[in-house]
Amino acid sequence: MHRFEFHLLDKSFDRTSFDCGNILLNSYLMTRARQAQTKGFNRTYVAIIEGDSEKVVQGFYAISMGQIDLSVLPEETIKSLPKHPVPVGRIGRLAVNKSMQGKGLGQELLVNALNRIRDASKAIGAFAVVVDTKDDSAKKFYEKFGFIALTNDPMSLYLPIESIPE
Ligand SMILES: CC(C)(COP(=O)(O)OP(=O)(O)OC[C@H]1O[C@@H](n2cnc3c(N)ncnc32)[C@H](O)[C@@H]1OP(=O)(O)O)[C@@H](O)C(=O)NCCC(=O)NCCS
């Protein structure tokens, strides 16, 4: 069982061998993540095996701020909430190297991302975490952790901030 370290992406990390099985996620990490971060569009965090001096990326996620219109939430949730859009934290991408899949890193990445968004929400406010899933398999992964589909787009899921434990 490996232990992992989580770091903000910078050019010292080895991304060259990363392959999660999804070409778009691979190439995002390889070619776009650093530039998106420099521009302030999001932040990418990477996981490496604890103490790995080569700093080989085993998993990553990208998070940003966003907003959603409350009309896309299930009706019973909306009653007590304002009519205007509300701030959310967004998980844009999350992926694990194939050789490391099925060993708990996906869950660790998700928990790390949720904790980071929860902490940020204490400073700037956020109502929920939203994730846009790419396929049914990814959707099932998030549903397992309590994410619920938005009414306008079944591939977008949300989790209320208040349900993230301290
Ligand atoms: C989806 C992904 C991130 C899961 O990472 P992982 O490290 O393999 O997952 P974990 O080992 O941490 O699994 C945690 C739990 O989620 C479950 N799980 C993992 N993938 C799942 C899936 N696709 N559907 C349903 N449950 C899933 C595991 O069974 C495990 O549950 P358990 O603790 O009850 O056994 C990984 O498979 C991946 O990178 N896939 C390709 C990219 C992708 O689809 N990313 C998500 C969309 S952006």
Side-chain angles (χ1 to χ4, degrees), residues 1-6 48-52 58 99-101 103-105 108:
M1 191 72 176
H2 293 292
R3 290 168 62 95
F4 297 96
E5 299 171 9
F6 299 87
I48 60 169
I49 293 173
E50 197 173 59
D52 177 10
Q58 304 295 342
S99 61
M100 208 50 86
Q101 288 179 8
K103 297 176 181 173
L105 179 54
E108 282 197 47

Side-chain angles (χ1 to χ4, degrees), residues 20 22 25 92-96 100-108 132 134-135 137-138 140-142 144-145:
C20 70
N22 177 319
L25 290 169
R93 296 168 173 84
L94 186 153
V96 171
M100 208 50 86
Q101 288 179 8
K103 297 176 181 173
L105 179 54
Q107 175 165 354
E108 282 197 47
D132 298 311
K134 314 272 180 261
D135 55 38
S137 168
K140 288 203 176 71
F141 172 74
Y142 287 103
K144 186 180 160 60
F145 296 100

